[in-house]
């Protein structure tokens, strides 16, 4: 396989991956910034659109809770 055809192949694969991504992309995932109710550490939680109370586990102390 020549370098040129290898490059073409790579480009094709990247293009395909991008096209696939646009189809399966998750729409409107939002990030909620919240503070742990136990230790006060800031946590970033990804949530589905319209969801405000999302269960998460504090990355600092491991406390399971919900965002407000
Ligand atoms: Zn915590």
């Amino acid at each position: 396989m020549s370098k040129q055809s290898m490059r073409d192949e790579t480009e094709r694969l990247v293009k395909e991956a991008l096209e696939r991504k646009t189809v399966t992309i998750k729409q409107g995932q939002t990030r909620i910034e919240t503070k742990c109710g136990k230790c006060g550490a800031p946590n970033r939680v990804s949530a589905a659109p319209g969801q405000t109370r999302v269960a998460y586990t504090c990355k600092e102390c491991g406390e399971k809770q919900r965002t407000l």
Side-chain angles (χ1 to χ4, degrees):
M1 205 184 252
S2 73
K3 271 188 181 174
Q4 181 59 48
S5 60
M6 269 178 77
R7 208 174 298 137
D8 289 347
E9 178 73 2
T10 306
E11 263 177 40
R12 193 178 61 81
L13 289 172
V14 169
K15 216 174 165 191
E16 274 185 11
L18 286 174
E19 277 166 5
R20 218 173 296 134
K21 218 175 186 178
T22 56
V23 177
T24 57
I25 198 161
K26 279 181 186 166
Q27 289 283 321
Q29 277 271 320
T30 52
R31 279 184 175 269
I32 297 174
E33 298 232 14
T34 187
K35 222 175 213 181
C36 174
K38 196 180 177 189
C39 73
N43 281 268
R44 221 172 260 165
V45 188
S46 62
Q51 268 199 307
T52 50
R53 288 183 66 79
V54 184
Y56 74 100
T57 307
C58 175
K59 64 174 161 55
E60 288 296 324
C61 68
E63 176 83 351
K64 287 193 179 106
Q65 60 203 294
R66 281 172 182 274
T67 58
L68 294 173

